[in-house]
Amino acid sequence: MMTSLKEYTMGDFWNQIMSAVAMAIVVAVTPSAIVGPLFQALATHGPLWSTLNTACNMATYTVPVLCGALAAGQFNFTMIEKVSVALATLLGSGAVNYSAKNGGTFTLVGMGDLINTILVTALAILAIFLIRDYVGSFAIIWDPIVTACIVGGIGMLMYPYVHLVSTTVGGMLNSFTKLQPVLMCTLLGMAFAVIIATPLSTVGLAYAFGITGIVGGASSVGTSACFLMVAYACSKVNGKGVVVAMVFGSVKMMLANFLKHPTMLIPIAITGALNGFTDSFIHVKNIAADAGFGIPVGPINAFTLMSGNIGTKLITIALIYFILPTFYGILAYYLCTHVFHFNKKEYWKVELNK
């Protein structure tokens, strides 16, 4: 049953989109987050493993298309309307880069800018609502033309300016690296814990600004701290599957929740800051390509950069990536929920069936 734009309040409209975007990210990122490291390790042992590793990595490139399709589904769009929105989202996301050199080439550059993806998705949905009553049976012609040529084109023009948000945040993070170690690790741990819970990409920021070494380690442990804090909070009101997904990095599934209740970011920030502070004495390291990752990529790569015997390395990894952030997360959750009453446990409920 088709709906009209008048049926949705501003809050409902954005909540529907954010829920769809969150689920799209979870679906696209889960393969590489959970089994990606295994296939990557086995990739050199035969074409089968190499192909499976490639498939896991390629899944993340589908985020813009999935965002558009799922968001359109939230508004009960028809099939042609759904794929038209998905088309606009891909074009305007920044995930495909065109170069006029060598006869013109198109290159996939990751999931694009998620903020721009969200804005283009919203514009495409609005466009469909506006033209629906006028195109009638010609929707199969006009819907893709309007969404691709107009909305997609607007998204491409918007992209450089919207992407400034990411580069500005990245510049701020880069300034943290010039501080003394304890303050630097504390701020980076807190910043990355919060950023991973927003539409911004910690992976893209870490890689773009060359956040490596001890700085990369602090970023990675902050990201992991967010995963475990959110997993603990979610365990109070969700099933085991959601909890496991959070441990392995699906916190963007909570985007709609964070939008409705921004105070949920407070315990995340506290957990990230405490874990970053602790890491300033442990000095875990990571390279720029992995600094924005949490569990399991972060600890795996941090392990390879450590010196010492295997036992010591395993204990250190377990301590900074699993044991301490879990303890800090429980503490932050208790303080924010039961002492200061910033949050309620119901805030962490994930509605998978919407």
Side-chain angles (χ1 to χ4, degrees), residues 52-128:
L52 292 176
N53 182 51
T54 301
C56 276
N57 292 330
M58 288 180 64
T60 60
Y61 291 87
T62 65
V63 167
V65 175
L66 297 181
C67 285
L70 287 178
Q74 292 284 80
F75 296 93
N76 297 317
F77 277 11
T78 63
M79 286 191 292
I80 185 62
E81 291 172 338
K82 289 178 183 177
V83 294
S84 295
V85 172
L87 180 61
T89 307
L90 174 63
L91 297 176
S93 66
V96 182
N97 182 42
Y98 173 75
S99 175
K101 297 180 180 179
N102 301 320
T105 57
F106 293 90
T107 307
L108 288 174
V109 289
M111 66 175 67
D113 188 290
L114 197 54
I115 296 177
N116 210 51
T117 297
I118 293 169
L119 293 176
V120 173
T121 300
L123 286 175
I125 290 172
L126 287 173
I128 293 294

Side-chain angles (χ1 to χ4, degrees), residues 192 195-196 200-209 288-294:
F192 271 74
I195 290 170
I196 192 64
L200 295 174
S201 169
T202 55
V203 177
L205 290 171
Y207 191 79
F209 290 89
D290 302 317
F293 285 99

Side-chain angles (χ1 to χ4, degrees), residues 127-143:
I128 293 294
F129 273 126
L130 289 174
I131 68 173
R132 175 184 282 170
D133 293 336
Y134 302 98
V135 297
S137 61
F138 288 94
I140 195 169
I141 297 174
W142 284 110
D143 283 359

Side-chain angles (χ1 to χ4, degrees), residues 281-303:
F281 302 101
I282 297 177
H283 290 174
V284 168
K285 297 179 181 178
N286 233 315
I287 61 175
D290 302 317
F293 285 99
I295 300 168
V297 178
I300 290 174
N301 287 285
F303 180 87

Side-chain angles (χ1 to χ4, degrees), residues 16-55:
Q16 297 282 55
I17 291 177
M18 296 300 289
S19 297
V21 170
M23 186 56 64
I25 294 170
V26 171
V27 171
V29 173
T30 294
S32 61
I34 296 181
V35 297
L38 173 63
F39 291 152
Q40 183 178 3
L42 296 172
T44 58
H45 296 279
L48 172 62
W49 301 114
S50 177
T51 301
L52 292 176
N53 182 51
T54 301

